[in-house]
Amino acid sequence: MGTVAAHGLRKSFGKVQALDGVTLDVPDGSFFVVLGPSGAGKTTTLRAIAGLEKLDAGSVRLDGRDATADAPAARDLAMVFQNYALYPRHTVYENIASPLRARRCSASEIATAVEQMSSLLHIERLLQRRPAQLSGGEMQRVALARALVRRPRAFLMDEPLTNLDLKLRVEMRTELTRIHRSLGATFVYVTNDQVEALSMANQVAILKEGTVQQVGTPTEVYERPANKWVAGFVGSPPISLLACHAEGDRLVGADGWTLPRPRWATAEDGRALLLGLRAEDLSVEQRGDASLSGELYGLEPLGDRTVVDVRVGREILKVKARPTVTGTPGERLRVTVDLDRAHLFDADTGLSLSEVGR
Amino acid sequence: MAVSVDEAVSTGPARDNPPPARRLGGRGRSALEVALLTVLAVVMLFPVLWMIETSIKENRDVYAIPAKFFDFTVTLEHYRDVFVAPDGGRSALSVSFLNSVVVAGVSTVLATVLGVPAAWAYSRFAVKAKKDQLFFILSTRFMPPVVVVIPIFLMYRQVGLIDNKLGLILIYAAFNVPFTIWMMKGFVDEVPAEYEDAAMLDGYTRLQAFWKFTLPLLVPGIAATAVFALIFSWNEFVFATFLTSSDSVRTAPPAIAGLIGGTTTDWGLVAAASVVFALPVLVFAYLVRRHLIAGVTLGAVRR
Ligand SMILES: Nc1ncnc2c1ncn2[C@@H]1O[C@H](COP(=O)(O)OP(=O)(O)OP(=O)(O)O)[C@@H](O)[C@H]1O
Ligand SMILES: [Mg+2]
């Protein structure tokens, strides 16, 4: 068992409201990712769950039992700290062994467990070194090993892969997913990297300024963002947002363009809206009836694809195109829009209107 | 030497600074600089040199006019007199040295044992009105000993701590606890709290986490602080003079001062006693130097 339920967490540091009513329900055995930009309160959330932060309000329940007042040691959790927090005077071996020593395991048990962990994370060579003699990536793996060496109720991981190079990060991503599956344990995983979030998570909670914006599967969060901020934060290149309003059977842009109004767009006429278009739902090639005209603004070749920046009125649309696409800035072109996959947001509240009619 | 409050506050952060770079790279000093430094060194060190010379001169060389700088007879009889009484037993001076060792040692241990955990608490926990409390603690060091010695004398008389080593130990500890808290808070602040957080998640209690993971990192800081406290207690003169009177309780500073005056003063003995008294301070000063340079965090916290 390993359910983690945090309800209405509030925490302020002086004038900064780090957590403003964060509620998370992490089911047993899930890989739960908390995704948010820097300063969103991700670390504070994890520390609150771990019992390291005294909350202003809210409760933490572990396996259904109220643990809000429990000491960290009593919560039976393991945590990978964002800054590793490896013990400087101890060797890597002693660092990894520490959770087992604290719980009075036998020396042979410890030796077996440390050996197993170090081979899993490829740090066998480093066992006798001290943290100061490790690279950032090595420290991060030692920190992971120290957490994974035990079988706690749940694992809390604070951006455990950010300091690895791209190749190692991709490798460790797969490795962590594999470890998660083989342990069947609960992971609460914090990151600001949406690729990590979307590729590893069973469930994602999106955090911004101490409030949860949306909780859902990676697909839900990507396909049906709850508001314009989530839509803009998840996805790369970021979604393009165009100001417009509905007028009869048309959507009329603030810059004068018109598109046929999608069937699901039930917003009343005249209300200020934002049309959200993801790069892959736009095209500079196909011909369709729904299209916008603009001029080429720039090309961003990314190897497997090219992102074409198209200027429509005063706004820039990011359009995904084949890597072979060419053009000169200033050239006029038409962008075809897949309106069935577009998003509409209320311009004032930012909330999604797409779900209502779909 | 009493450690001033300014030193206490500024020592912490200063530890990380590299030693000041020599302006001219050491070798390139101008002749003028060398000359000035030499004059300064001679002026500063002359009393020390004179003290050492006097302590090994025979009495008639001590009083010789003109003074003898080099061609005097070397003797160690003054050093013998420091430790051995004329009748062959233990001298009063040697008892006072022992008293100094006990009083300075015990008061320093007491101040450290009380001050280090307090510094840790002030560094780690949200204490109500923390700044005010810290300022209040510091303010107890604002007044020079002479100002408070009379009230303390009266209080001590009430509770029977006059002419009592415990009395001196308590007052020195009381003076050193604020110093220790301030100095150690700087050192504790430098040790990331995450080590303790990680230890608590490993399964240790908060106190175990402090004891096992933070305290070992504080050892250089504790050593430096304790040495300062020790030097303060060792050198302290005012309280020792007012609060003690008998030879069996007196510490060395008033005992040595007591040798001067009367009809004749045995300058050889005064000098020898002063040398013996100064030696530990010199050794400790050397230790302070080493420990202040030693960095505290060797750690693995990304900043
Ligand atoms: N100990 C503290 N004292 C004061 N402010 C703090 C403290 N810890 C966090 N904060 C503030 O609370 C907010 C949330 O911080 P938190 O560390 O949880 O962010 P984060 O989402 O983990 O960011 P990052 O991705 O940069 O690690 C920030 O504005 C931060 O400045
Ligand atoms: Mg963080």
Side-chain angles (χ1 to χ4, degrees):
Chain A
M1 275 296 281
T3 65
V4 176
H7 282 233
L9 304 186
R10 295 179 64 83
K11 173 77 189 175
S12 62
F13 297 102
K15 285 196 190 69
V16 183
Q17 189 72 39
L19 299 184
D20 198 0
V22 169
T23 296
L24 302 173
D25 274 297
V26 183
D28 182 34
S30 73
F31 199 115
F32 192 98
V33 172
V34 179
L35 175 67
S38 188
K42 307 184 294 294
T43 299
T44 311
T45 305
L46 271 201
R47 289 175 58 86
I49 294 172
L52 297 172
E53 218 64 79
K54 197 169 180 302
L55 289 165
D56 300 338
S59 69
V60 176
R61 298 179 78 82
L62 300 172
D63 285 339
R65 209 181 55 79
D66 189 359
T68 316
D70 286 1
R75 298 189 184 204
D76 190 21
L77 300 166
M79 180 158 170
V80 179
F81 287 80
Q82 188 168 7
N83 47 16
Y84 322 135
L86 300 178
Y87 309 128
R89 291 291 184 84
H90 295 62
T91 62
V92 167
Y93 182 98
E94 290 164 333
N95 265 283
I96 301 175
S98 174
L100 302 175
R101 289 211 173 131
R103 292 180 155 78
R104 309 198 178 288
C105 295
S106 72
S108 63
E109 252 178 293
I110 294 175
T112 324
V114 173
E115 199 179 309
Q116 202 186 342
M117 263 312 123
S118 54
S119 74
L120 186 66
L121 294 162
H122 312 295
I123 47 177
E124 307 99 318
R125 292 180 302 108
L126 312 174
L127 287 178
Q128 295 316 315
R129 295 212 206 154
R130 285 176 207 283
Q133 302 163 320
L134 301 177
S135 75
E138 288 165 345
M139 285 192 224
Q140 213 148 30
R141 279 180 285 159
V142 175
L144 268 171
R146 182 172 65 183
L148 292 168
V149 76
R150 216 165 61 76
R151 293 287 157 270
R153 199 191 300 259
F155 294 96
L156 311 177
M157 304 197 169
D158 198 351
E159 310 197 16
L161 304 185
T162 35
N163 211 33
L164 305 181
D165 62 59
L166 188 61
K167 178 168 168 290
L168 198 53
R169 183 155 56 204
V170 174
E171 235 174 79
M172 289 294 302
R173 225 186 264 158
T174 337
E175 195 60 26
L176 270 182
T177 322
R178 204 184 58 72
I179 292 172
H180 169 252
R181 225 178 296 122
S182 72
L183 294 181
T186 310
F187 279 46
V188 184
Y189 186 104
V190 159
T191 181
N192 58 27
D193 179 349
Q194 46 165 310
V195 181
E196 244 171 54
L198 298 182
S199 64
M200 298 168 87
N202 302 137
Q203 277 213 304
V204 189
I206 300 200
L207 204 61
K208 177 205 176 200
E209 289 166 13
T211 55
V212 177
Q213 303 291 312
Q214 187 173 3
V215 184
T217 64
T219 319
E220 280 166 357
V221 169
Y222 187 80
E223 300 279 337
R224 296 193 288 281
N227 57 44
K228 70 170 184 195
W229 188 85
V230 172
F233 185 69
V234 181
S236 170
I239 197 167
S240 308
L241 292 170
L242 302 180
C244 63
H245 63 268
E247 230 177 79
D249 61 350
R250 313 196 67 76
L251 284 177
V252 180
D255 292 317
W257 51 260
T258 59
L259 283 172
R261 174 175 178 154
R263 264 170 299 107
W264 48 265
T266 51
E268 68 271 27
D269 286 9
R271 182 161 158 191
L273 302 173
L274 286 172
L275 178 66
L277 301 168
R278 289 208 189 274
E280 65 268 26
D281 302 329
L282 296 171
S283 164
V284 287
E285 288 162 15
Q286 308 141 348
R287 306 204 146 269
D289 29 332
S291 66
L292 296 166
S293 82
E295 65 181 48
L296 185 68
Y297 191 73
L299 292 173
E300 251 180 90
L302 295 172
D304 60 334
R305 72 208 132 108
T306 293
V307 175
V308 184
D309 289 354
V310 179
R311 200 169 75 173
V312 176
R314 270 164 297 141
E315 320 205 47
I316 304 288
L317 280 187
K318 299 244 176 216
V319 183
K320 197 165 160 182
R322 275 196 280 191
T324 49
V325 73
T326 53
T328 46
E331 173 184 326
R332 302 224 40 100
L333 44 76
R334 290 197 75 78
V335 178
T336 318
V337 181
D338 182 354
L339 273 177
D340 285 337
R341 295 183 52 81
H343 307 270
L344 267 185
F345 303 97
D346 185 304
D348 299 322
T349 64
L351 293 179
S352 172
L353 301 171
S354 318
E355 304 320 316
V356 186
R358 236 196 295 238
Chain B
M1 177 213 80
V3 175
S4 78
V5 164
D6 290 340
E7 284 171 63
V9 176
S10 64
T11 323
R15 272 169 310 131
D16 285 338
N17 296 346
R22 288 203 178 153
R23 190 156 53 88
L24 295 169
R27 246 167 308 161
R29 287 178 193 283
S30 71
L32 184 69
E33 269 183 313
V34 173
L36 273 174
L37 286 172
T38 311
V39 170
L40 265 178
V42 169
V43 170
M44 304 293 277
L45 290 178
F46 182 77
V48 178
L49 184 73
W50 196 243
M51 176 178 79
I52 294 170
E53 271 203 8
T54 308
S55 74
I56 53 173
K57 276 180 188 170
E58 288 196 332
N59 269 337
R60 58 189 146 75
D61 290 337
V62 169
Y63 293 104
I65 295 173
K68 294 185 172 179
F69 279 92
F70 303 110
D71 53 340
F72 54 82
T73 327
V74 173
T75 172
L76 288 177
E77 67 184 34
H78 301 307
Y79 285 96
R80 190 200 58 210
D81 292 345
V82 169
F83 294 105
V84 186
D87 60 7
R90 251 215 248 141
S91 70
L93 264 182
S94 73
V95 173
S96 74
F97 277 119
L98 208 62
N99 290 339
S100 270
V101 169
V102 171
V103 167
V106 176
S107 68
T108 301
V109 169
L110 201 59
T112 306
V113 167
L114 292 174
V116 171
W120 174 68
Y122 276 115
S123 173
R124 292 288 191 259
F125 296 98
V127 181
K128 265 207 188 108
K130 186 190 280 190
K131 288 217 172 107
D132 300 319
Q133 288 193 26
L134 283 170
F135 181 80
F136 171 74
I137 289 170
L138 188 64
S139 71
T140 60
R141 293 293 301 247
F142 288 172
M143 265 186 274
V146 241
V147 177
V148 286
V149 73
I150 304 298
I152 284 180
F153 181 88
L154 297 174
M155 287 190 267
Y156 267 31
R157 204 171 51 187
Q158 288 292 319
V159 294
L161 282 173
I162 295 287
D163 203 22
N164 185 331
K165 269 181 265 186
L166 182 63
L168 279 189
I169 288 172
L170 289 180
I171 195 75
Y172 291 171
F175 260 72
N176 278 326
V177 164
F179 167 72
T180 306
I181 291 177
W182 268 81
M183 187 126 160
M184 285 311 299
K185 182 172 177 296
F187 284 104
V188 180
D189 285 345
E190 292 277 303
V191 177
E194 275 93 349
Y195 299 149
E196 288 164 39
D197 294 341
M200 287 194 282
L201 276 152
D202 283 353
Y204 293 106
T205 65
R206 193 174 261 290
L207 274 179
Q208 284 173 324
F210 166 66
W211 185 257
K212 278 188 161 48
F213 295 97
T214 302
L215 198 61
L217 297 173
L218 293 176
V219 166
I222 292 175
T225 309
V227 163
F228 275 122
L230 199 61
I231 290 174
F232 166 80
S233 313
W234 183 256
N235 288 345
E236 204 288 322
F237 180 75
V238 176
F239 287 120
T241 308
F242 278 82
L243 302 179
T244 64
S245 49
S246 62
D247 282 349
S248 62
V249 177
R250 277 212 148 172
T251 53
I256 294 172
L259 297 174
I260 305 171
T263 44
T264 57
T265 298
D266 184 349
W267 287 110
L269 181 64
V270 172
S274 303
V275 171
V276 173
F277 181 72
L279 265 183
V281 176
L282 291 179
V283 172
F284 294 147
Y286 179 75
L287 288 180
V288 173
R289 194 195 61 132
R290 270 188 38 208
H291 280 301
L292 285 184
I293 293 168
V296 181
T297 41
L298 317 152
V301 164
R302 186 162 36 123
R303 289 169 178 242

